[in-house]
Amino acid sequence: MARLPGLGPRSAQRAVLFAIKNENSFLEQLINDLITVRDHIRKCKHCGNLDCGDICSICLDVKRDAHQLCIVESVADLWAIERAQFFHGRYHILGCVLSAIDGVYPEHLNTKSLVARVNADRITEVIIALNATIEGQTTTYYIADVLAGLGVSVSSPAHGIPLGGEFNYLDDGTISAAFLDRREVKLSKVKVA
Ligand SMILES: [Zn+2]
């Protein structure tokens, strides 16, 4: 348990003691759930999402826009975007981002399958939604370069001030990114309280 990400030895000990103490109401169910995960969860052959089949429910959903593709680093990032319920296209999970320290180079990104998918699915728009870290941004530029010339619109989410954020509490990098990504104030959209 202590080897699980996010759990140190003390938290792991608390979790194990809780499980032992609640053998009937918790531990049995946990064991069954873990067996279900082991036996049924698969990596989607199209996007890399996790689901109970070879093709995930997002890729199978005909109501989603098959020509809009969002590139994310991990399944957790996909789930975060899905929670917000505004994106109705499909995904491509990279699994990693470029990082010299971690030994991740362009050949590890498997961009061949990405390019093949963009062509095969006649993708018209690609949104590269990688973390706002140096590695994430380097990877964004690399992928944008790979996709250049394929006739797709390539964008990435804006960086800057979070909703409800106050300048006084933001770091320098966030403030400068927000100024660089500034946009015109559209008067028609402004509602004065
Ligand atoms: Zn999928």
Side-chain angles (χ1 to χ4, degrees):
M1 289 290 279
R3 296 212 305 270
L4 289 172
L7 279 190
R10 285 158 71 101
S11 304
Q13 193 180 58
R14 276 209 304 276
V16 168
L17 289 174
F18 175 86
I20 292 168
K21 197 174 166 189
N22 299 281
E23 186 179 339
N24 294 328
S25 61
F26 179 78
L27 190 54
E28 285 290 329
Q29 185 65 51
L30 178 67
I31 290 167
N32 290 335
D33 288 347
L34 289 176
I35 289 170
T36 305
V37 166
R38 185 196 63 192
D39 293 347
H40 297 285
I41 299 296
R42 303 271 176 276
K43 201 181 201 182
C44 173
K45 284 181 175 171
H46 284 172
C47 72
N49 188 16
L50 297 175
D51 212 325
C52 301
D54 288 340
I55 310 294
C56 76
S57 55
I58 292 175
C59 287
L60 287 172
D61 187 347
V62 291
K63 284 191 233 125
R64 298 187 77 113
D65 186 344
H67 305 298
Q68 201 180 36
L69 192 69
C70 178
I71 298 176
V72 291
E73 180 183 345
S74 67
V75 175
D77 295 339
L78 183 159
W79 289 348
I81 296 171
E82 281 298 289
R83 270 200 307 276
Q85 297 186 328
F86 65 92
F87 178 68
H88 304 294
R90 291 186 176 151
Y91 294 92
H92 180 91
I93 297 174
L94 280 183
C96 57
V97 286
L98 296 173
S99 167
I101 292 173
D102 296 328
V104 183
Y105 297 102
E107 59 267 30
H108 300 114
L109 289 178
N110 196 13
T111 47
K112 271 186 192 161
S113 73
L114 173 65
V115 170
R117 191 169 174 205
V118 166
N119 287 326
D121 293 354
R122 284 178 288 163
I123 302 290
T124 55
E125 183 184 6
V126 174
I127 302 161
I128 309 173
L130 300 176
N131 290 333
T133 56
I134 290 172
E135 292 82 6
Q137 294 314 292
T138 306
T139 311
T140 297
Y141 290 123
Y142 177 76
I143 291 172
D145 191 46
V146 167
L147 296 175
L150 294 181
V152 289
S153 138
V154 179
S155 62
S156 66
H159 301 138
I161 303 162
L163 287 177
E166 297 177 32
F167 274 105
N168 202 19
Y169 296 101
L170 296 175
D171 64 277
D172 302 350
T174 302
I175 293 176
S176 64
F179 267 69
L180 289 171
D181 264 352
R182 68 187 181 276
R183 65 197 63 182
E184 189 187 344
V185 177
K186 299 257 170 48
L187 287 175
S188 59
K189 288 184 181 171
V190 176
K191 208 173 166 185
V192 181

